[in-house]
Amino acid sequence: MQIIRDADALRREIDALKADGGSIAFVPTMGALHDGHLALVAEARLRADHVVASIFVNPTQFGANEDLSVYPRREAADAALLDAAGVAILWAPDVETMYPDGPAATIRAGAAAQGLDGDSRPGHFDGVATIVARLFDQVRPDVALFGEKDYQQLAVIRELVRGRSIPVEIVGVPTQRDADGLALSSRNAYLSEEERTAARTLPRALGEAAAAIEAGGDVAEALEKARARLEGAGFDPIDYVALHDAETLAPMNVLDRPARLLAAARMGRTRLIDNLPVNPA
Ligand code: PAF
């Protein structure tokens, strides 16, 4: 695996991969890799001749009071994992390379960025859209893979690609979970042992609510019950527990089409998100 930090070198190497007709699958990350990222790489390998991954902790998607300065950084260990997983190129630019004019979001994310994390994390999806568009310009992938754990991000990126006619196929990969159900996330590393145990309530409460709604139960009631369970487990604050259209992310009160149940809540100093599919019978 080549580790590339310079944009000209990346252009040459991508040209070389494309010259022999090879297709490129791209896995963008912020590092601190876990099995969720490796599932993206495994899926990428099935979908193209070459896999390019990136590690870039993108400053423009962090709010002023968020965890940019303490976000886990361990590039050497990450590079070893990506190399072993069959990645051909690791694109690892610095902030000046990605933002030569200074770190600012220059793309406004579309309608999918309204509500949910769009409300709790103002500007976050503009930062995501800006960096993903730049990474797509540089890597020119045929297909790009994103985890369903960041479900709203996936919807924002699909909308970005549609709106700008970017010639890339976007693939969502199901959330990877620990044995106790907690969705894998680089931020789980912040949880104390006690918080980690309490955090299991998040997937459980969502699972119960999803089952109740699919069984025909009242949506508002199921959401309220899930919220109460999270409160009982010590989540505070709970940013949202909500049912949305699986495609457009429009809010839903009745299960009359495929939906997604999404939640975000803070456990100690760690903000956790999770989501599950909810389908009508
Ligand atoms: O999901 C992430 O890790 C990031 O939001 C992404 C897509 C790499 C953009 O910085």
Side-chain angles (χ1 to χ4, degrees):
M1 183 182 75
Q2 296 189 67
I3 302 181
I4 301 180
R5 301 179 197 281
D6 172 79
D8 290 331
L10 181 73
R11 188 174 315 114
R12 281 195 302 276
E13 294 306 324
I14 297 287
D15 284 345
L17 292 185
K18 286 181 174 272
D20 61 4
S23 56
I24 295 178
F26 179 41
V27 179
T29 82
M30 299 205 302
L33 302 182
H34 49 66
D35 284 350
H37 297 106
L38 297 180
L40 300 180
V41 173
E43 185 62 34
R45 288 195 69 184
L46 299 175
R47 288 177 179 265
D49 300 313
H50 309 286
V51 179
V52 176
S54 64
I55 295 180
F56 179 67
V57 182
N58 172 35
T60 68
Q61 70 188 77
F62 287 79
N65 302 316
E66 293 186 355
D67 53 349
L68 173 63
S69 64
V70 296
Y71 197 83
R73 286 167 172 84
R74 37 173 190 259
E75 193 194 288
D78 289 344
L81 288 172
L82 294 172
D83 190 16
V87 169
I89 293 177
L90 170 56
W91 172 226
D94 61 14
V95 174
E96 289 68 34
T97 302
M98 290 310 291
Y99 292 105
D101 300 321
T106 52
I107 294 179
R108 282 291 286 277
Q114 303 302 311
L116 303 170
D117 273 12
D119 288 344
S120 322
R121 306 182 68 190
H124 168 69
F125 289 119
D126 296 341
V128 169
T130 299
I131 201 65
V132 169
R134 288 183 188 195
L135 290 167
F136 283 172
D137 281 347
Q138 294 164 331
V139 175
R140 292 169 277 147
D142 299 283
V143 53
L145 299 97
F146 295 86
E148 286 186 344
K149 203 211 99 204
D150 296 297
Y151 197 81
Q152 191 176 13
Q153 167 173 284
L154 182 58
V156 164
I157 291 165
R158 287 191 197 282
E159 196 179 10
L160 172 83
V161 162
R162 261 198 322 273
R164 300 171 86 87
S165 305
I166 303 174
V168 60
E169 180 193 354
I170 302 299
V171 173
V173 176
T175 303
Q176 304 293 307
R177 297 179 180 279
D178 264 337
D180 64 1
L182 190 68
L184 298 189
S185 164
S186 306
R187 291 191 166 94
N188 292 352
Y190 302 146
L191 297 169
S192 70
E193 208 172 307
E194 202 179 316
E195 290 169 346
R196 178 72 182 68
T197 304
R200 291 179 196 159
T201 303
L202 178 56
R204 289 182 188 174
L206 286 184
E208 278 176 23
I213 296 168
E214 283 186 339
D218 181 71
V219 171
E221 212 171 281
L223 298 180
E224 198 37 59
K225 205 168 158 192
R227 183 176 271 276
R229 274 203 72 183
L230 294 178
E231 259 163 24
F235 280 97
D236 181 32
I238 297 162
D239 288 342
Y240 55 82
V241 181
L243 190 73
H244 285 249
D245 184 294
E247 289 237 328
T248 64
L249 281 188
M252 283 170 65
N253 304 314
V254 175
L255 184 64
D256 53 5
R257 55 199 192 277
R260 207 84 190 180
L261 177 61
L262 306 103
R266 194 170 290 271
M267 173 55 69
R269 63 194 177 105
T270 311
R271 186 172 183 277
L272 299 176
I273 60 173
D274 201 350
N275 67 83
L276 288 177
V278 187
N279 291 308

